[in-house]
Amino acid sequence: MINRVLIRLKIVQIVYAYYQNGGKNLDTAEKELFFSLSKAYDLYNYLLLLMVEVTKQANKRLNAAKNKLVPTKEELFPNTKFVENRFIAQLEVNKQLLEFSNNQKKTWENEADFVKTLCDKILESDIYKEYMASETSSYEEDRELWRKLYKNIIFNQLGNVLVVDNIDNANKISKKINNKYKIVDTFVLKTIKRFDEKNGAKQELLPEFKDEEDQDFARRLFRRTILNADYYRHLISENTKNWDLDRVAFMDVVIMQIALAEILSFPNIPVSVSLNEYVEIAKLYSTPKSGGFINGTLDGIVNSLKKENKLTKN
């Protein structure tokens, strides 16, 4: 599940924090990097659990209406299509998700108000109303409902919920964090689409890392960034002669340092890919003008290195 886009984002955060904390312990910082990546995987599982929790909330409402002193006929015999959704029934008993929930002790119980609000939004939506009004019923329709609900409603509401238990230090999800975790949301959506009724509770969720190569990418990129910092900053300084390096936004320096570590350490990654990735990260984490500044500086460094035959890849 954890891809290189997310790895780069996390490395930017950890490297920045490493220097802010005095740059004292590389091993500790590396452990923090992998801990932070594991928290992103926790979030993936946590968001899958959210869909189950919303369904439980909807079911509670149906039961509460039935138990009213004088329930209406509609309340006594409600349409249970939503709460009996087959995709959610399969997700609720998923072995991997249950193991995560039991081991991590993560639930949405502390966010009851958010779950209720989200349930309101869903039950008021046209997506829900069209689903409930449909005369057809199939597993595929049940699964598609939640893909639409997640894409169009749930993600937009996540900015109102407090992420608990050390996911981003329990801070409110800001616009910046929303952008960062948009990556995680794409994997939730991918998981919904991959679900197959015949797999039952054994349906596989996405693994934390696709393979060992991505884990190695994270470790090597982080360590090269720190261990070769003097060389990378020399290159940056040489290509920003009209600027005192101390006047360049520190986040810009960090981003360029990591970008150079990737460009010079991973021959199979095209330069254009690395440049595009870090320019996008700059737009997210630094100043409004940082994207253009970083792109121009890195482009100048790459051209200089090619002229000196110190960089031979395309």
Side-chain angles (χ1 to χ4, degrees):
M1 186 220 86
I2 294 172
N3 66 1
R4 294 192 177 188
V5 175
L6 186 56
I7 288 170
R8 291 181 180 101
L9 286 169
K10 288 295 185 182
I11 288 177
V12 167
Q13 295 168 21
I14 299 300
V15 170
Y16 182 84
Y18 172 80
Y19 286 120
Q20 293 296 99
N21 293 330
K24 295 179 181 178
N25 195 315
L26 182 62
D27 290 336
T28 299
E30 185 182 282
K31 288 178 182 177
E32 179 61 27
L33 168 63
F34 282 96
F35 177 77
S36 183
L37 288 169
S38 74
K39 290 294 103 180
Y41 191 63
D42 285 354
L43 181 61
Y44 161 74
N45 285 275
Y46 194 52
L47 293 174
L48 290 173
L49 287 172
L50 177 57
M51 294 183 282
V52 174
E53 198 62 35
V54 169
T55 304
K56 289 180 179 178
Q57 175 62 30
N59 197 39
K60 286 178 185 178
R61 296 186 184 192
L62 291 184
N63 290 330
K66 281 183 184 180
N67 293 324
K68 285 169 59 176
L69 191 60
V70 186
T72 65
K73 182 179 179 180
E74 185 178 349
E75 289 170 334
L76 280 173
F77 304 100
N79 183 344
T80 58
K81 186 176 181 180
F82 181 75
V83 298
E84 293 176 356
N85 182 283
R86 282 156 286 200
F87 162 72
I88 293 297
Q90 183 184 9
L91 184 63
E92 187 174 7
V93 298
N94 181 270
K95 289 188 175 181
Q96 288 178 249
L97 197 58
L98 286 174
E99 183 179 359
F100 165 81
S101 182
N102 292 332
N103 291 343
Q104 300 294 327
K105 308 299 182 187
K106 291 187 184 297
T107 72
W108 285 89
E109 289 180 2
N110 294 331
E111 297 298 336
D113 289 341
F114 169 73
V115 173
K116 289 176 183 176
T117 300
L118 180 57
C119 189
D120 287 339
K121 293 283 185 184
I122 287 173
L123 299 185
E124 293 167 1
S125 70
D126 290 337
I127 296 171
Y128 168 82
K129 292 173 183 176
E130 289 172 10
Y131 168 78
M132 296 298 282
S134 173
E135 295 181 1
T136 60
S137 177
S138 68
Y139 174 86
E140 288 71 25
E141 288 175 300
D142 287 358
R143 185 183 58 201
E144 178 62 10
L145 167 75
W146 278 99
R147 188 194 68 80
K148 289 179 179 178
L149 289 175
Y150 194 93
K151 183 177 181 180
N152 295 285
I153 298 176
I154 295 178
F155 178 67
N156 293 330
Q157 291 298 308
L158 287 175
N160 301 320
V161 67
L162 189 66
V163 179
V164 298
D165 294 337
N166 293 322
I167 295 177
D168 278 313
N169 300 319
N171 288 323
K172 288 282 184 179
I173 301 180
S174 64
K175 179 181 178 183
K176 187 173 288 188
I177 296 175
N178 263 336
N179 285 332
K180 179 176 63 177
Y181 280 115
K182 195 175 290 183
I183 301 166
V184 179
D185 284 284
T186 63
F187 288 112
V188 174
L189 289 168
K190 183 177 181 179
T191 299
I192 294 171
K193 290 165 70 175
R194 281 168 50 121
F195 257 60
D196 190 323
E197 188 175 19
K198 72 175 185 292
N199 292 331
K202 294 182 180 180
Q203 172 71 47
E204 290 188 1
L205 303 182
L206 298 177
E208 184 170 358
F209 284 95
K210 182 181 68 175
D211 50 39
E212 289 184 5
E213 188 177 332
D214 277 355
Q215 284 181 287
D216 183 60
F217 171 78
R219 185 173 290 106
R220 286 176 60 204
L221 180 58
F222 174 71
R223 284 191 166 267
R224 295 286 177 90
T225 295
I226 302 298
L227 296 175
N228 297 328
D230 289 344
Y231 176 55
Y232 300 144
R233 292 194 182 188
H234 168 73
L235 293 176
I236 295 167
S237 180
E238 284 293 300
N239 283 270
T240 54
K241 289 183 178 179
N242 294 329
W243 289 76
D244 181 345
L245 197 57
D246 291 336
R247 291 178 55 223
V248 177
F250 182 59
M251 180 58 83
D252 289 0
V253 175
V254 166
I255 291 171
M256 287 188 284
Q257 188 176 322
I258 300 167
L260 287 170
E262 181 172 318
I263 290 168
L264 293 169
S265 303
F266 296 91
N268 293 331
I269 302 176
V271 171
S272 60
V273 170
S274 299
L275 289 177
N276 289 338
E277 290 289 345
Y278 290 100
V279 167
E280 288 303 310
I281 290 173
K283 293 176 183 176
L284 180 60
Y285 283 106
S286 202
T287 67
K289 295 182 180 180
S290 290
F293 173 72
I294 287 173
N295 185 60
T297 303
L298 291 176
D299 192 52
I301 293 171
V302 166
N303 288 333
S304 295
L305 291 173
K306 285 181 177 179
K307 288 178 183 178
E308 298 169 10
N309 293 319
K310 294 179 179 179
L311 181 67
T312 57
K313 68 177 181 177
N314 292 325

